[in-house]
Amino acid sequence: MRHGLFSRNNPISQNGAVSQNGADPGLFGPGSVTWQVHGDPMMWVAGVRALWLQALHPRAVRGIMQNSDFRRDPWRRLLRTAGFVATTTYGTADAAERAGAAVRAIHRRLTATDPGTGERYRVDDPELLLWVHCAEVASYLHVVRASGLPFTDVTADAYIAEHRRSARLVGLDPARVPADAEQLAEYFEKVRPQLAATPEAFEVDAFLRRPPVPPLLTPARRLIWGRVSALAYASLPRHAHELYGRPAPAPDAVARRLRAAGLALRRVPATVRWQLPPKHILTAAARLGPGSRPSAYKLRSLDAILDGPGRAAVQRDDGGGGGGWRTPG
């Protein structure tokens, strides 16, 4: 493995697990890059961005819209997705495996139909699962990195490599999943000609821009959700803006907005943010000890362990819209 990530003297074990009290560290463990990144408040913006990006794959979005309750109860689907990410990141290994088994069991039963050709295809087609996976990983990495979380190319590569484990849970062969930013960029370049803004994509777009809420929550939607969704959409790659038919904002302006949002949200004490249900991080800390809590400081330390000081100061293009961001210092 590159950069000595799993070397004998490295405190990060081969499954990312570090536990000082013998408790189950889960799929990634507190010694992983993923453990630090997924505790960041900008993950909410990143998750919304991932949905916009995922919806641009016609076969993938049809699989969602033809088989799920997205049209009837999109909020429930969003919360299920967030719960899956939290469980596989901070839950026990058994909880992660059970969550993955449940997803695979659901996908095995589902098919979708191409309205143009009448072709029926499986929702668990590896190519569709791979698109969903890569759009998520690229979005998470792009948003948290551009918003000020300390990263170099080396920690970015480590994050992407770690997510071959979560890819296995949903039914993908880890060997076919991008292992670093270069491979991720190659994947997006390969799949880009297949992307299109279909009617189903515009349904997702309409929901993300203005989701239905009870009348009493309309002001909150405008104040909170409106800002989150606007920033998530702005952070999409230029070709996604073109497909959705709206002008892409200036990259420098988006960079400033992401940094400002990251600065503001990280000022909210983590102990306050982590009180939100279902409290996965607090549960993990109780299981593994207070030293397991995620933090940006640990991300800096991991960067030094993985690469040594002073190298990899500029981010490469990962193909998911992450090119050109300088690593925050």
Side-chain angles (χ1 to χ4, degrees), residues 3 7 15 33 38 60 64 78-79 91 112 117 137 151-152 166 171 185 199 202 208 213 238 263 277 308 311 321:
H3 315 304
S7 65
N15 67 352
V33 177
H38 287 188
I64 293 171
L78 293 182
L79 291 174
T117 65
V137 169
F151 266 99
T152 65
S166 59
F202 280 114
L208 293 176
V213 295
R238 179 172 293 274
L263 181 63
R311 293 203 292 140

Side-chain angles (χ1 to χ4, degrees), residues 129-328:
L129 296 178
L130 184 59
W131 166 253
V132 171
H133 171 85
C134 290
E136 283 185 357
V137 169
S139 291
Y140 298 162
L141 180 58
H142 173 68
V143 169
V144 297
R145 189 176 188 183
S147 65
L149 214 61
F151 266 99
T152 65
D153 285 345
V154 176
T155 39
D157 282 351
Y159 177 79
I160 295 167
E162 286 173 2
H163 277 273
R164 294 171 121 186
R165 302 172 204 156
S166 59
R168 176 187 61 79
L169 289 182
V170 299
L172 284 165
D173 176 1
R176 296 188 64 240
V177 177
D180 57 31
E182 183 178 355
Q183 292 180 16
L184 192 59
E186 291 173 354
Y187 169 77
F188 279 113
E189 189 65 25
K190 175 184 175 182
V191 81
R192 183 172 167 180
Q194 303 173 36
L195 305 183
T198 61
E200 294 90 347
F202 280 114
E203 284 192 63
V204 175
D205 175 59
F207 165 76
L208 293 176
R209 295 174 69 191
R210 194 179 178 85
V213 295
L216 289 177
L217 294 180
T218 300
R221 179 183 66 185
R222 186 180 307 112
L223 178 65
I224 301 174
W225 181 264
R227 294 181 180 181
V228 169
S229 65
L231 186 55
Y233 181 81
S235 69
L236 286 167
R238 179 172 293 274
H239 65 84
H241 289 279
E242 293 171 353
L243 290 172
Y244 280 117
R246 295 189 289 274
D252 288 347
V254 178
R256 289 193 296 270
R257 290 168 60 190
L258 285 167
R259 290 296 292 264
L263 181 63
L265 289 175
R266 292 175 192 122
R267 284 177 174 169
V268 179
T271 51
V272 173
R273 291 189 272 107
W274 296 341
Q275 289 293 337
L276 294 173
K279 303 183 180 181
H280 285 92
I281 294 177
L282 292 179
T283 301
R287 183 175 81 248
L288 299 169
S292 65
R293 293 175 178 176
S295 73
Y297 173 79
K298 292 179 182 177
L299 195 59
R300 292 180 185 275
S301 300
L302 285 169
D303 190 49
I305 291 169
L306 293 168
D307 194 43
R311 293 203 292 140
V314 180
Q315 177 184 1
R316 297 188 303 276
D317 188 353
D318 60 13
W325 301 114
R326 288 197 172 275
T327 301

Side-chain angles (χ1 to χ4, degrees), residues 14-100:
Q14 204 161 21
N15 67 352
V18 175
S19 177
Q20 297 178 351
N21 61 5
D24 182 351
L27 187 67
F28 297 103
S32 66
V33 177
T34 297
W35 191 276
Q36 320 315 323
V37 170
H38 287 188
D40 190 79
M42 289 297 288
M43 280 289 290
W44 288 102
V45 176
V48 177
R49 180 197 195 263
L51 292 172
W52 252 306
L53 189 57
Q54 288 167 344
L56 289 174
H57 193 297
R59 291 168 70 91
V61 74
R62 286 184 194 119
I64 293 171
M65 302 302 281
Q66 293 180 18
N67 287 287
S68 77
D69 56 356
F70 187 90
R71 289 187 175 97
R72 187 173 61 256
D73 192 357
W75 289 111
R76 179 178 296 179
R77 179 174 177 83
L78 293 182
L79 291 174
R80 283 201 304 264
T81 300
F84 179 81
V85 173
T87 298
T88 55
T89 303
Y90 299 111
T92 63
D94 181 63
E97 294 292 344
R98 283 188 281 108

